[in-house]
Amino acid sequence: MKLHELTIQKAHELLKQKEISSQELTQAVLNRIEAVDAKVGAYISVAGEMAVDQSKLADKAISAGNISSLTGIPIAIKDVICTKGLRTTCASKMLENFIPPYDATVIKKLQKAGAVIIGKVNMDEFAMGSSTENSGFQLTHNPWDLDRIPGGSSGGSAAAVAADMCLGALGSDTGGSIRQPASHCGVVGLKPTYGRVSRFGLVAFASSLDQIGPLTKNVNDCALLMNTISGYDSKDSTSMPREVPDYTLSFKENLTGVTIGIPREFNTSKGFDPSVLSSVKNAVKVIESLGAKCIEISLPHTQYVVAVYYVIAPSEASSNLARYDGVRYGFRDKTKKSLIEMYRGTRSAGFGSEVQRRIILGTYALSAGYYDAYYKKASQVRTLIIEDFKKAFEKCDILLSPVAPTPAFKIGEMSEDPLTMYLSDIFTLSANLAGIPSLSVPCGFSAEGLPIGLQIMGNYFQEETILRTAYHYENATDFHKIKPTL
Amino acid sequence: MKITKEEVMHVANLAHLDMDESSIDTFTFQLGKILEYVDTLNRVDTEGVLPTYHAIALTNAFREDIQKDHFDKEQVLGNAPEKEDGSFIVPKVIQ
């Protein structure tokens, strides 16, 4: 097996037995990027030298007997997470030359574990989008079919994992931005419970919804990354002071006694690709055969999820993105003579059209006369969506659904119609609105050979139940073993 | 339409965004469609329902009022588009 194709777990074993060095592994991944990223376009910045230096340090630590499950492992980081001294752009012209003076907490945790940061990967600008087409710099192509989108907004993270250009990656998920690209690229992606992972150093999009999480080649690797990045952080006042378990221990128990809920409303949604429905149905059968009990449940407010999200997320975004004014960091329009003209010139030239659309939508929803009708109304319906989940989790342990109604669409196919693109987020948005954890695991392929993901949602801080279900399902299937040819 | 051209221009102005004529037309059309869709929320009875602004029940996070590590001036100004003598430079505010 080629080194870049290794899972985190396998690479760790080889590093530990000193059969390979981190420097060899890191160089293999850098060579892989050199060989295929011209076609895929996952990376905005490759941190070659920095990565090699980190790999040498990791090798020293390993020689001294200090090895954690991530020591010497090359990890890609979505370019929305601050890395000290390493350009962090949010795929926006606004931050094209921004070099953070500090590391995000998750980066500090990865470094402490000895991981190698291999580079920064592409995304929709400021994480707004479902296809990575909104990047201010470049398109990312789906490794399974280069004419198709990788999903978004963590499209670079998912494509880099699927194309073996890293061993694992971090993404961020505000409305499905980890799970949907994971589904479209045939990898595992987890959005943790809100408050499980520190958001310090994550450039804010919608602060009540954003959460950092892993994208990996299998479920075990996902658990390993979660072990490292989770936990309370005094620098994030919304992180929860709660102990972090060893997530891999959850695999020991089988699925006997687990009750799965199938939301009735998700079966009646329009616009489904038949291969998505059949793959998810088959997955449910497999999980039942592993000992889980299956019941139908109801999430009555599902039909309002998209409307609620596209009021709340743009409202929070319009406030968060007010900071980009050309004064303290980022792009400035230097042609303007007055302060107000400079603000306006900077923001109009620095933000792409989807970001401007959401700022305007959010500003409108929060503006005098419309606040009650839009923002407050959406926040009330959010309460009802949360109550639906609370009732559902009285009857079951996890919920199963599709991640996206269709496999990856063609580049350019949807970009003229924002509402159609928004509607494709129907299955993923509710986990962010409720704050619950949710994972995508490969569960099949479409007729064209495109990957399909199964969504597994759990109750607050029940990542262990989700990972345990995904792990046993993965073991019973072969979808994760099939790789794209590049 | 749910939203007029004038409203889009007003909101763009509030958000400090300049727009040319064709962007205003496109945004007016697209936002109109989005807001019509959002109006489905009016079918939901929310009488007496408390709004949710945070996904997780949180209380204020307090800490001791003691000085912690902070960036020095060079780091703070490191990404400034224009700076001089340890300050950010902005265009003239008072004419």
Side-chain angles (χ1 to χ4, degrees), chain A residues 109-400:
Chain A
K109 283 174 179 263
L110 285 178
Q111 283 170 343
K112 198 173 160 222
V116 173
I117 309 296
I118 200 94
K120 304 297 288 289
V121 280
N122 200 23
M123 51 187 280
D124 288 295
E125 183 179 4
F126 284 104
M128 297 177 191
S130 317
S131 67
T132 312
E133 292 169 291
N134 297 331
S135 167
F137 304 128
Q138 66 200 44
L139 284 173
T140 297
H141 302 264
N142 192 314
W144 292 87
D145 176 352
L146 297 172
D147 292 332
R148 291 178 189 267
I149 57 109
S153 65
S154 309
S157 305
V161 174
D164 293 317
M165 290 190 281
C166 60
L167 271 68
L170 293 188
S172 67
D173 191 316
T174 305
S177 283
I178 289 174
R179 292 159 283 156
Q180 184 256 22
S183 170
H184 284 347
C185 291
V187 301
V188 173
L190 172 67
K191 180 205 92 74
T193 308
Y194 186 82
R196 176 75 290 191
V197 176
S198 169
R199 293 184 295 114
F200 179 74
L202 170 68
V203 177
F205 159 17
S207 305
S208 82
L209 307 164
D210 297 340
Q211 191 65 189
I212 294 171
L215 293 98
T216 54
K217 296 178 187 182
N218 65 21
V219 176
N220 186 80
D221 286 0
C222 181
L224 292 174
L225 271 173
M226 280 301 290
N227 284 351
T228 302
I229 65 171
S230 303
Y232 173 71
D233 177 15
S234 60
K235 288 178 174 158
D236 173 4
S237 58
T238 62
S239 77
M240 291 296 260
R242 195 182 161 105
E243 218 147 288
V244 180
D246 177 351
Y247 287 103
T248 61
L249 294 179
S250 63
F251 305 155
K252 286 187 174 169
E253 266 183 278
N254 64 25
L255 297 187
T256 311
V258 172
T259 305
I260 298 161
I262 309 295
R264 184 186 306 149
E265 290 76 11
F266 287 5
N267 284 326
T268 54
S269 300
K270 284 176 260 173
F272 262 119
D273 186 284
S275 63
V276 171
L277 271 186
S278 60
S279 299
V280 170
K281 277 188 183 150
N282 286 337
V284 173
K285 278 185 207 151
V286 171
I287 292 172
E288 271 188 294
S289 76
L290 295 169
K293 195 180 85 181
C294 199
I295 60 167
E296 190 182 75
I297 57 102
S298 176
L299 299 169
H301 294 89
T302 297
Q303 59 177 308
Y304 303 111
V305 161
V306 177
V308 169
Y309 179 86
Y310 280 97
V311 172
I312 290 174
S315 294
E316 294 187 18
S318 73
S319 167
N320 274 326
L321 271 61
R323 70 190 63 171
Y324 302 101
D325 58 5
V327 174
R328 290 153 301 156
Y329 43 74
F331 169 76
R332 167 185 287 195
D333 178 356
K334 291 182 179 169
T335 65
K336 298 296 196 295
K337 294 277 180 281
S338 82
L339 184 65
I340 298 288
E341 283 175 356
M342 186 279 284
Y343 289 156
R344 299 174 66 107
T346 295
R347 292 167 61 76
S348 307
F351 290 137
S353 64
E354 180 62 25
V355 173
Q356 295 198 27
R357 183 156 41 242
R358 295 206 197 186
I359 289 174
I360 292 195
L361 183 57
T363 307
Y364 179 75
L366 293 174
S367 66
Y370 296 102
Y371 181 90
D372 280 359
Y374 290 108
Y375 187 67
K376 190 179 169 202
K377 182 79 181 179
S379 300
Q380 286 175 308
V381 182
R382 184 180 184 181
T383 305
L384 299 174
I385 292 165
I386 293 172
E387 283 171 6
D388 284 354
F389 277 109
K390 286 189 174 157
K391 278 179 204 147
F393 285 124
E394 282 168 13
K395 297 186 195 124
C396 62
D397 304 300
I398 53 169
L399 297 168
L400 297 183

Side-chain angles (χ1 to χ4, degrees), chain A residues 97-119:
Chain A
N97 300 307
F98 178 67
I99 298 176
Y102 67 98
D103 278 316
T105 297
V106 289
I107 300 298
K108 280 199 169 160
K109 283 174 179 263
L110 285 178
Q111 283 170 343
K112 198 173 160 222
V116 173
I117 309 296
I118 200 94

